[in-house]
Amino acid sequence: MSRAPSPLGKDLIGLEELSAEQIESILNTAEPFKEISERRIKKVPVLRGKTIVNLFMEPSTRTRISFEFAEKRLSADTVNISASGSSVQKGETLVDTARNLEAMRIDMVVIRHPSSGAARFLADRIPSNVINAGDGSHEHPTQALLDLLTIRDHRESIRGLKVCIVGDILHSRVARSNIFGLLKLGAEVGVCGPKTLIPAGIQDLGVTIFRRIEEAIEWSDVLNILRLQLERMQGGFVPSLREYNRVFGVTIPRLEAAPQDILILHPGPMNRGVEIDSDVADGPQSVILKQVTNGVAVRMAVLYLLAGGAPERAEAAKKGEMA
Ligand code: CP
């Protein structure tokens, strides 16, 4: 594969730092990689010889497993590390953990961490490529990229679309990455949720605030529904889960009242019956599992580009041709 400098730079920390062209380039690179996962033998030699560490200091199902699939389908060697069972439990710092991994000659680190800023902190201290797989309430760039790819698959263009992010915006790295990505690609962005879960000053980013879910639904082409992050709340943000569902829950009757056909996204994990009812999550407007499928292709694209792959060579790389 080409050893040219990556069009993304050394690391992927957030969409705030990327240009519209860089975001488009990742999405376009993901397109040919989608097909690899549909093959009987799901493997190409794009990252042969690369060693990637998945350092997950917080629980994850979708992100951790889809990064691992993406790495294996590109033929990288992978190691998974979690907080439990590693020397982090004995008090080892993040940088010491990473330096010890580097001493074993790794190429990339995919990191999920409960602290906002952890991915940038690490990227500034080690020469390996660092990919942010979600840091505190800062950013979750690959989630937003897969959301963008899924919207693009189902609507002609992201430019001009009205996308409303619903729910716990305050604690959500997914919301922040989506806002940056959607605005850069020309969408109009709304947010909707209880006052306690909408960060002060968010309208300065260029988003419209909706206080009522009915108004948000009437306005939107796409709803991206977020989980109430109960583990990040100290209590008192919502009166009760039942009350949250009554006032902000996305339900079939509410969607049926909308004049337009709305696309339904959710990054998962879902609290069914809280922010989203099951018949919406499993209904015809939902593309939630398509988001998960696209997550593998997007992560393949990010790994390929950070390793120095050229966007215009992605089609050849998927056929196993080396540059
Ligand atoms: N969407 C997402 O980040 O899910 P996981 O926490 O399961 O990775």
Side-chain angles (χ1 to χ4, degrees), residues 59-64 112 140 143 267-269:
S60 168
T61 299
R62 280 146 290 270
T63 313
R64 183 176 62 77
R112 168 165 290 194
H140 191 349
Q143 177 66 48

Side-chain angles (χ1 to χ4, degrees), residues 239-285:
S240 71
L241 299 184
R242 184 193 292 258
E243 180 71 358
Y244 182 85
N245 178 255
R246 194 181 65 75
V247 179
F248 288 102
V250 179
T251 62
I252 292 286
R254 283 183 168 141
L255 289 179
E256 281 177 349
Q260 73 289 25
D261 185 28
I262 300 177
L263 201 64
I264 300 293
L265 285 84
H266 191 306
M270 289 185 277
N271 297 310
R272 287 173 182 262
V274 180
E275 70 269 3
I276 186 168
D277 279 6
S278 272
D279 41 12
V280 175
D282 303 329
Q285 289 162 274

Side-chain angles (χ1 to χ4, degrees), residues 4-15 17-19 21-27 29 120 129-131 145 298 301-309 311:
S6 161
L8 305 182
K10 182 174 94 62
D11 311 296
L12 176 64
I13 305 302
L15 297 196
E17 300 166 14
L18 296 189
S19 65
E21 292 69 31
Q22 287 172 310
I23 294 170
E24 296 271 16
S25 170
I26 298 170
L27 301 183
T29 303
R120 166 55 59 207
N129 306 105
V130 173
I131 302 173
L145 289 163
V298 154
V302 168
L303 294 163
Y304 168 78
L305 293 172
L306 284 179

Side-chain angles (χ1 to χ4, degrees), residues 123-273:
D124 288 347
R125 284 163 180 79
I126 61 172
S128 297
N129 306 105
V130 173
I131 302 173
N132 184 4
D135 61 331
S137 49
H138 172 229
E139 282 224 37
H140 191 349
T142 57
Q143 177 66 48
L145 289 163
L146 73 88
D147 293 344
L148 291 168
L149 187 64
T150 308
I151 295 171
R152 208 172 77 157
D153 284 349
H154 290 86
R155 295 292 180 263
E156 268 175 31
S157 168
I158 289 176
R159 181 162 298 283
L161 269 188
K162 291 178 174 162
V163 182
C164 190
I165 305 167
V166 181
D168 182 358
I169 314 296
L170 181 67
H171 299 96
S172 178
R173 53 199 179 206
V174 175
R176 284 176 54 81
S177 290
N178 262 274
I179 290 169
F180 294 130
L182 286 162
L183 289 175
K184 285 178 189 199
L185 296 195
E188 288 183 56
V189 181
V191 293
C192 177
K195 244 185 186 159
T196 48
L197 293 176
I198 303 285
I202 192 161
Q203 61 273 30
D204 297 346
L205 293 177
V207 306
T208 305
I209 299 175
F210 294 95
R211 296 288 179 208
R212 296 185 61 245
I213 188 67
E214 291 81 3
E215 284 171 8
I217 288 175
E218 194 181 336
W219 177 83
S220 299
D221 300 306
V222 179
L223 290 182
N224 197 346
I225 304 162
L226 303 180
R227 181 174 70 91
L228 280 191
Q229 299 198 34
L230 302 170
E231 76 279 16
R232 293 191 210 280
M233 296 184 192
Q234 304 304 315
F237 286 91
V238 292
S240 71
L241 299 184
R242 184 193 292 258
E243 180 71 358
Y244 182 85
N245 178 255
R246 194 181 65 75
V247 179
F248 288 102
V250 179
T251 62
I252 292 286
R254 283 183 168 141
L255 289 179
E256 281 177 349
Q260 73 289 25
D261 185 28
I262 300 177
L263 201 64
I264 300 293
L265 285 84
H266 191 306
M270 289 185 277
N271 297 310
R272 287 173 182 262

